[in-house]
Amino acid sequence: MGSSSVIGSDERRAGASVVAEALRITGRERRPVFGSAVMACAAALLVGGGTVAAGFAVSWGLFLAARRDAESAIENEDSYVAYADQWSSLVKVAFGVYPLLLLVAVVLVAWLLTAQAVIAAYAWERAASGADAVTAPGALTLRALWCRCRSHLGAALRVQSLTLLSVLVPGLAGLLVLAAIQLELVPGVVWPTYHEPATAQFVLVGRILPVVIWALGFVLLTRFSLATAVRVADSCSATAAMRRSWTLTRTARLRTTGVCLLGTGVVVAAFTVLKWLGTYVAHWAGLLMLATTDDNVWVTGVLVLITPVAVALLLLPLALAPVGVLLACLRRRLDDTAGEARAPSDALAG
């Protein structure tokens, strides 16, 4: 009992020191940290926004048809379901847009994590040489940051792609469980309705089981979270970086989980606030769309629905950048701890 409490206390202190170091680096190197985030925001606006705009352009005829069908049904006093004849085509457009947006997200996350690992390494180099990160000449500019990151981006992109694939497996598995219950493919488990409350079987299979499966995805995400920072530090291949990240986090599960939960909390909180701010943008965007489309509520409704999420995603790199610094600091701390653990064993072997 005493030994485990001491280990837990050491883990908490080490985690707090990692957070303090990340905050210190983010403050001292704030220009490249947030400059790289602004670059990611700009790329998301141009490429992601262009992709969404192209999706609207392809679907424009469908929105016009939806309006004609609705007006005709109202005129004839017939019942009408929104997008009844256009739904399948809109889904096809969505299946073309979403993978492109996911690809943009993977590329930008690879860039952000690589940039923050490079910035953290640069800060440690300057600290070792006794230079002041703010006033000394030769501070890291965005051009210099790009030059340092360029050789790592290919491997970082492979790391993020492999991590995404590993996390998607439990993510989709949890959704399949819910879909199987919805389609009544699970014997003895019925989806609750207004008149029939949730049964114990549904709570177990339809609520607890998907959460457990998704928790496995989060565990995989935490175990591979340091791979990009490892690649920057060691210049190894993507698979070697992922193996090294798995090894480092295996010996510090509590610390890694705590740091990753903190980073996730920061990102979720930032997304929530930015989405709320995006509702104000959605209001004015909706008014502009109504004015330019002769009050077409069908396309305006879709625009107003997606705008808050789009605004949040566009600005989310500003929150992801400090989290990238945090992961780089955690990688260094775990690497140092592993080196200290190897040194006594090597001395005993000698």
Side-chain angles (χ1 to χ4, degrees):
M1 177 69 71
S3 176
S4 61
S5 63
V6 170
I7 293 174
S9 178
D10 290 343
E11 289 277 359
R12 286 191 294 270
R13 285 196 297 268
S17 65
V18 168
V19 174
E21 184 178 10
L23 290 174
R24 185 166 56 252
I25 292 176
T26 301
R28 290 182 176 178
E29 303 290 343
R30 54 188 176 276
R31 290 183 180 177
V33 167
F34 292 105
S36 61
V38 170
M39 290 175 62
C41 293
L45 178 61
L46 292 176
V47 182
T51 302
V52 174
F56 269 100
V58 172
S59 307
W60 198 257
L62 299 174
F63 292 122
L64 296 179
R67 178 178 184 172
R68 288 194 298 268
D69 292 346
E71 292 175 346
S72 176
I74 293 172
E75 188 176 319
N76 296 327
E77 299 183 352
D78 295 332
S79 60
Y80 178 72
V81 178
Y83 309 107
D85 298 327
Q86 296 81 28
W87 183 251
S88 59
S89 298
L90 289 172
V91 170
K92 291 178 182 178
V93 174
F95 273 113
V97 170
Y98 286 158
L100 293 176
L101 294 178
L102 186 60
L103 177 60
V104 172
V106 171
V107 172
L108 293 182
V109 170
W111 155 251
L112 281 172
L113 294 184
T114 301
Q116 309 321 311
V118 168
I119 292 169
Y122 179 79
W124 293 321
E125 291 174 7
R126 292 171 65 79
S129 64
D132 187 336
V134 177
T135 61
L140 191 63
T141 63
L142 290 180
R143 182 185 295 274
L145 177 62
W146 168 254
C147 292
R148 288 177 176 237
C149 291
R150 190 166 48 192
S151 61
H152 301 292
L153 287 177
L157 183 58
R158 289 191 292 273
V159 165
Q160 296 308 315
S161 301
L162 293 173
T163 302
L164 177 63
L165 289 176
S166 65
V167 172
L168 277 179
V169 172
L172 293 177
L175 293 177
L176 285 176
V177 171
L178 297 178
I181 297 174
Q182 184 71 39
L183 297 174
E184 300 182 354
L185 298 178
V186 182
V189 180
V190 180
W191 199 276
T193 62
Y194 180 78
H195 300 287
E196 298 179 1
T199 62
Q201 293 89 337
F202 175 80
V203 172
L204 180 63
V205 179
R207 291 289 183 263
I208 297 178
L209 182 59
V211 171
V212 171
I213 296 174
W214 291 331
L216 174 61
F218 181 76
V219 170
L220 292 175
L221 183 63
T222 60
R223 299 298 297 273
F224 294 132
S225 60
L226 309 183
T228 302
V230 170
R231 157 65 196 188
V232 172
D234 300 342
S235 296
C236 56
S237 65
T239 53
M242 296 180 74
R243 285 196 300 267
R244 180 60 178 164
S245 176
W246 187 275
T247 301
L248 288 174
T249 55
R250 182 177 56 194
T251 58
R253 292 186 178 93
L254 180 60
R255 191 190 315 176
T256 302
T257 302
V259 169
C260 289
L261 283 175
L262 176 62
T264 302
V266 169
V267 172
V268 171
F271 180 84
T272 303
V273 172
L274 291 172
K275 184 179 177 183
W276 171 71
L277 293 175
T279 57
Y280 295 95
V281 180
H283 172 73
W284 293 105
L287 293 177
L288 180 61
M289 182 62 75
L290 286 174
T292 56
T293 60
D294 193 22
D295 294 335
N296 189 332
V297 297
W298 306 102
V299 65
T300 302
V302 175
L303 178 66
V304 170
L305 184 65
I306 68 172
T307 295
V309 177
V311 170
L313 293 177
L314 286 176
L315 298 178
L316 199 59
L318 296 173
L320 282 172
V323 174
V325 177
L326 180 63
L327 293 177
C329 293
L330 178 61
R331 192 281 314 165
R332 188 188 190 215
R333 183 58 57 90
L334 294 182
D335 220 357
D336 292 344
T337 303
E340 293 171 359
R342 284 196 303 267
S345 62
D346 293 341
L348 288 175

